[in-house]
Amino acid sequence: DYFLPDVDAESSFELEIVSMSGQVVKSTSLQGAAGTKVVDLKGIAAGIYLYKIQDGEKLIKSGKLVVRE
């Protein structure tokens, strides 16, 4: 489990986690108010990934995610 950055609105957001080779390894909806969200990453290999959180077409947050065993 990993903590993701806060978002500042009550809405439904889409989280996408992508491998460094460009493969989408996780895509899920985040619901509710701003705060820390916990996302289950079981089954995702250790490594460095890119993530983005979007509200429709609007990019809210993006960055690098390190998954450790």
Side-chain angles (χ1 to χ4, degrees):
D1 296 341
Y2 291 85
F3 295 97
L4 296 171
D6 294 345
V7 289
D8 294 327
E10 289 190 6
S11 189
S12 175
F13 300 92
E14 187 69 23
L15 166 69
E16 188 172 85
I17 300 174
V18 180
S19 70
M20 297 304 282
S21 65
Q23 179 184 4
V24 176
V25 295
K26 179 88 172 179
S27 182
T28 189
S29 291
L30 303 174
Q31 304 288 326
T36 302
K37 309 298 182 198
V38 178
V39 177
D40 182 11
L41 297 180
K42 290 179 186 164
I44 295 179
I48 299 173
Y49 297 86
L50 301 175
Y51 74 87
K52 65 181 176 180
I53 299 172
Q54 290 184 266
D55 181 6
E57 294 297 315
K58 181 181 176 186
L59 180 64
I60 302 296
K61 182 82 175 178
S62 65
K64 192 184 316 182
L65 175 68
V66 178
V67 176
R68 298 183 184 155
E69 289 186 10

